[in-house]
Structures are given as C-alpha cells and as structure tokens.
Amino acid sequence: LNQRPSIRPLGDSAMTITFGDTITEELADLVVAQSRRISGAGIRGVTDIVSSYASIGVHYDPDAIAYDELQARLAPLLEDPSVNTDDAGSRVHHIRVRYDGEDLDEVARRTQLTTAEVVSIHIAALYRVFVIGFVPGFAYLGPLDARLALPRRDSPRKRVPPGSVAIAERQTGIYPSATPGGWHIIGSTTERMFDPSRLEPSLLSVGDRVKFES
Amino acid sequence: VIRFVRAPAYATIQDAGRRGHLAYGVPRSGVMDAAALHTLNALLGNDAGAAAIEIALTGGEMVFENPHTFAIGGANASIALDGNPLESWSAHRGAAGQTLSIGAPTGGRFVYIAVAGGIDCPVVMGSRSTYLPGEFGGLGGRRIKAGDVISIGNAARRRRHHVSDPLQDDLRPKLGERIVRFIARGESTLERSWRISVASDRTGYRLESEPRETGASIVSEPICPGVIQLPPGGEPIILMADAPTIGGYRIAGTVISADLRIVAQCPPGEEIILEKSTVARAQSELARSSEVFSRVREWSLA
C-alpha cells in the first residue's frame, strides 16, 4: 500500500492509476480518498473519474489537456497517501428489502442454513459500495459474510426483474434494471436504484455504505 | 419534422456520446463512426457533436413534413429523394412531402442521416444518444420504428454543398486489410492480422486469429471504447461505444480514437491489421482531425 501507484495510458483519452490488484477494504478506502482528491483538484479537461476496486480511471478530453500535462498534475496529488476515514463512509443508505427471492430456499439449502438465518446474516452487515458497473447504477456491495458465499448460478437468468436483491461469491447487489443475471435472488426492493431522469441518476456512489432493512 | 414510413432494422439517434456519468456505470454511447458525424455536421453548419440518425443492417424510408437540409454519409448506401438518386457527403434540400429512401449500408456497417439543426429529442444525462440496453436516450431509449416522428433543431445559415473529394475518400470505409493503430499495455503480440467476428455489436467486436492470445480474468478495472480485452478464451474483444465502464478481463491495449471508426465500419469476416502507436501520435492525430472538421464547418457557414 505504501508503494507508489502506477499511472498508465488507457488509450489517448483516458489513463489508469493502479494502487494494487486485490479486493480489500484498505485499498478501497485509498481509491475513494484519491479519487476525491483528483476530483477536488478540478483539473480542466478531466471529464470522468471512475473508481474500481484497486484502480482509478481518469477520462479526459485530449483537446483540452495532453497526457503528459495531466500526468504531471496527478502525480503530486497521489503522493499524499492519507485516508480520511471520516469521509470514506460519508453516506449510509437504508434500503428496505422483502426477503422473498425465488432463490432464497436454494441458498439456505446450499449453505446449510435456515432461510431465517440467511436473512439475518444478510441484513446484519453494513456493506460498502466497492464499484459501480455492469449496467448503469449496479453497485457491487461487500464484503458478504463468508457463510453465504456461493458461486454464480450455472446458467444465468435471461431476465432478472429490477429491484432484485441478489448474492454471489462475497458480494451482494441490487439489479437497477431488467437484465440477464447469474446471481442468486434472495429478495426485492421498491427503491429506484437508477433513474435517468433524476438529477443524480444513481442512488449509490462508490464509497457509500448500504444497510438493508426489512 | 421527419416521419419514418419504413424503419431500418436498426436505427437509433446518436450524438457525440455521454460524459460525466461513467462513474455510475453509464456507458459513453454515441455514434460508432465519429468522423462521419463530425463531417456531416460541419457540412450542415451544426455543432460537431449534434445528434444524427445511425442506421445499420437495412435501409428505410422517411417523409419530410417540413423542408429540411440534410446530408448522408458513413458507409455507402443508395439514396434517393422522390426516386431521384442523390450523392452522399453532400447537403441536399428535402421539400415538405418529399420521400427520402436509403438502401442498406454496403462496404461498411453504419450510415448517418444528419439534418441541419440536428436531430432534437430530450437530453438525458447530457446527451441525446440512445443506449438500448438501458432503455434511455434518443426516442424513449429504443430503436426508431415506422410511424415515428423525429423533431429537428434550428439550423444555421450555410453555403457549402459537399465534402471535398479527398476528405470523402478518407471518410469512406475501405475494405481489405486496414491498419488499425493501438497503444499497447505491456508486452504485445497483437501486431498481426485479425478477422472481425460475427459476434460484434455496439458493445464490442470480437477478433479471430490463430494462434490465440493468452487471456485472463483480473480484478475489474476502468475500461473505455477502444480497449482491447483478452478474456480467458484468448479471443480479443475491441470495446465499442456502448462498452461497460469497468471490466474484468486482461487489457492488452487500446485502439487510438482516430482509428476506432475503421474497426466500427468493418463488416464481419473482414480483416484488420493491428499496429503499435503512441499516445503522443494518437493525440496529434486527433488534433489534426478536429482541425479538418473546423475547416469544413468554416467553409460551410454563410
């Protein structure tokens, strides 16, 4: 974690800043802190800052700023490795869930738990938004309790209804729109996770926390 | 206003794409052939990124309900106004009641209909581009169908009538082995000839060739259009306009922005040759093309 991040081009209009290659909360805190630092610098020509598990994508308009210039602006910002834990978890969203998913019984059977235990384990944790992707507004939440970790379904569903709350491996998430999906559906929410007509279309941002409630 | 009488199998409204929402998993979207859009818009006196209609697979037919100036370019296609053949890459006037028919794209995949004033539709997250999987942008997030009425914005006064022959020649998709430049990430063995697979859409184009590359799954990283992914199967994927914002496959490099349209217009079965380039060269290439477009626009405006 103490080693310097690498800055590499991602084509001619973006660059990747890499801090590591693992999924840990420590790295995720660093990614959130650094992406806020970059965003706060207000560098002209930067159009998008995308945080992933252990890397940040900085997208820019090469007509406004050249690669070398942007790299020179970013390097000193990244030298500050401090992580302010207060702002890392600034927003907590409380999301009401009905644990009525069609895979709930199967999840209980495969994890050798009762459905009530599955629900109480899933609802107990405060989850972190590690990344947003796959489809607009889909947040990868974690870490999911190891007792509930299952591989993805052998054959993905062609259509998972919007609002489905699902789990796979050490992650949980909420499908914002109807898409194909391979996660195990354990519940549903009426919360609109993504709405293109809202000022802030995505309910969740990377670094936010989510607490499920029933 | 333009009314579609017969809709192409694929037709959507696209502009220069979305910026500022990648962090929420919203793809950039926008036209597959940016140079075609920019040039047609310049010719019509529009902003470079004004929205146009992107057509693929089959042709269509539309009626001008009001008089409009329009231009068509991208892949080749037969064009006729009330049955009289028209040239592409030229500005034409459609009178109220006249029917514009366009044949299926040939020698490339995407044809663009641009109209003076630009296609008008609600701006969603800063763009008029249609993102079909998300069902937003353009006409209610869907393809254009027969009976649809398309609104047009206010046009600038203009005088120029066609794109110069050398520029046209540059813009027309060419078949045969086309060189596509990319910026490599790490050691690259991609510098050879590749066939575009039928498994290609606005999200990504799969490439076929022997021997296969060594792919891998990785902890997901930010990605963008142009990125060449290497999945465990070893068949590269070049990400296109509707690419997701993060991806879990090894990144082997990124096609330079100026050459991504060559890939976009390449029909399945055609070959491209990948060749290494640098960020500096790619960026000066972009600066050069934006200069060309601003010159075309200057000529075009009265």
Side-chain angles (χ1 to χ4, degrees):
Chain A
L1 259 187
N2 292 322
Q3 73 188 38
R4 275 165 177 253
S6 77
I7 304 180
R8 288 175 297 174
L10 185 69
D12 52 37
S13 314
M15 55 177 70
T16 313
I17 307 167
T18 309
F19 300 90
D21 57 3
T22 52
I23 302 177
T24 67
E25 298 216 47
E26 204 183 3
L27 262 177
D29 279 339
L30 180 62
V31 164
V32 168
Q34 298 295 36
S35 79
R36 284 189 184 152
R37 209 162 274 144
I38 296 165
S39 155
I43 304 169
R44 200 177 63 95
V46 170
T47 58
D48 291 271
I49 300 164
V50 181
S51 304
S52 190
Y53 296 97
S55 55
I56 297 173
V58 179
H59 300 254
Y60 62 99
D61 173 5
D63 275 344
I65 189 165
Y67 179 82
D68 293 341
E69 197 188 339
L70 181 53
Q71 193 188 28
R73 294 284 309 272
L74 292 174
L77 292 176
L78 298 171
E79 262 165 33
D80 180 358
S82 64
V83 174
N84 183 343
T85 41
D86 287 348
D87 66 36
S90 51
R91 290 204 298 183
V92 180
H93 304 265
H94 296 266
I95 294 176
R96 194 167 282 275
V97 179
R98 277 178 61 138
Y99 285 94
D100 57 359
E102 52 184 302
D103 297 331
L104 186 58
D105 289 342
E106 198 198 328
V107 168
R109 187 177 52 77
R110 288 177 61 182
T111 56
Q112 295 180 314
L113 298 163
T114 65
T115 55
E117 285 168 336
V118 171
V119 170
S120 69
I121 293 169
H122 185 262
I123 210 167
L126 177 64
Y127 298 102
R128 159 202 292 275
V129 178
F130 276 93
V131 299
I132 296 181
F134 167 55
V135 293
F138 187 98
Y140 290 78
L141 307 170
L144 178 70
D145 193 293
R147 285 171 291 174
L148 297 183
L150 289 173
R152 288 170 174 76
R153 289 165 54 89
D154 289 339
S155 55
R157 286 191 173 83
K158 284 213 175 68
R159 184 185 183 276
V160 175
S164 297
V165 176
I167 58 170
E169 311 288 354
R170 297 293 304 277
Q171 306 190 98
T172 181
I174 305 157
Y175 285 83
S177 51
T179 56
W183 291 22
H184 308 271
I185 304 171
I186 59 169
S188 62
T189 179
T190 52
E191 200 80 56
R192 299 265 334 235
M193 303 310 295
F194 186 83
D195 180 351
S197 67
R198 279 198 305 237
L199 196 61
E200 276 188 67
S202 177
L203 185 68
L204 306 178
S205 297
V206 171
D208 287 357
R209 302 294 198 268
V210 171
K211 186 82 181 72
F212 291 113
E213 291 171 350
S214 68
Chain B
V1 173
I2 297 173
R3 184 167 45 85
F4 269 82
V5 180
R6 190 165 54 80
Y10 164 89
T12 61
I13 295 170
Q14 299 292 342
D15 61 11
R18 291 194 167 80
R19 298 291 185 281
H21 294 84
L22 296 180
Y24 302 107
V26 178
R28 195 190 291 174
S29 300
V31 287
M32 292 286 276
D33 185 341
L37 178 79
H38 294 164
T39 309
L40 294 171
N41 277 333
L43 184 69
L44 296 168
N46 295 341
D47 290 337
I53 297 169
E54 181 176 88
I55 288 178
L57 304 170
T58 67
E61 215 167 79
M62 62 220 76
V63 173
F64 292 98
E65 308 239 302
N66 307 88
H68 289 293
T69 303
F70 64 95
I72 291 167
N76 295 325
S78 61
I79 316 160
L81 192 61
D82 277 351
N84 301 312
L86 297 180
E87 301 232 311
S88 48
W89 302 111
S90 299
H92 303 286
R93 188 81 179 154
Q98 282 194 303
T99 300
L100 172 65
S101 41
I102 298 178
T106 57
R109 290 192 188 215
F110 297 97
V111 171
Y112 296 89
I113 309 172
V115 183
I119 303 295
D120 194 20
C121 66
V123 173
V124 179
M125 291 178 275
S127 164
R128 294 187 167 85
S129 288
T130 313
Y131 177 55
L132 290 176
E135 298 175 1
F136 58 77
L139 280 191
R142 59 168 175 81
R143 296 173 190 212
I144 293 170
K145 58 180 199 292
D148 277 342
V149 170
I150 315 280
S151 302
I152 312 296
N154 293 325
R157 281 165 56 82
R158 34 158 305 285
R159 62 163 185 241
R160 184 84 174 176
H161 295 293
H162 67 94
V163 174
S164 73
D165 290 348
L167 180 55
Q168 264 194 49
D169 196 52
D170 218 35
L171 289 168
R172 282 184 201 277
K174 283 163 204 73
L175 300 185
E177 296 192 328
R178 294 291 312 270
I179 288 170
V180 171
R181 292 163 291 179
F182 74 106
I183 298 157
R185 178 168 284 189
E187 286 298 302
S188 171
T189 49
L190 295 174
E191 290 188 278
R192 51 192 166 108
S193 166
W194 297 88
R195 200 172 40 254
I196 304 281
S197 154
V198 287
S200 302
D201 59 22
R202 277 183 51 92
T203 302
Y205 284 21
R206 206 171 266 272
L207 304 181
E208 296 167 339
S209 166
E210 295 294 336
R212 295 215 170 174
E213 295 289 315
T214 317
S217 288
I218 58 163
V219 170
S220 288
E221 277 187 30
I223 50 176
C224 63
V227 162
I228 309 169
Q229 287 186 320
L230 280 178
E235 283 192 330
I237 299 165
I238 300 182
L239 296 172
M240 304 304 280
D242 283 344
T245 52
I246 55 163
Y249 295 138
R250 201 188 131 202
I251 296 172
T254 308
V255 171
I256 71 169
S257 301
D259 287 358
L260 193 55
R261 59 177 299 267
I262 299 172
V263 181
Q265 288 286 14
C266 211
E270 290 292 324
E271 300 209 333
I272 56 167
I273 300 167
L274 287 176
E275 192 180 281
K276 261 194 217 174
S277 186
T278 64
V279 175
R281 248 181 291 161
Q283 294 190 339
S284 66
E285 187 85 2
L286 272 183
R288 197 185 61 89
S289 47
S290 46
E291 230 173 84
V292 171
F293 301 132
S294 49
R295 226 175 317 137
V296 173
R297 192 166 190 275
E298 248 169 61
W299 290 338
S300 307
L301 285 174

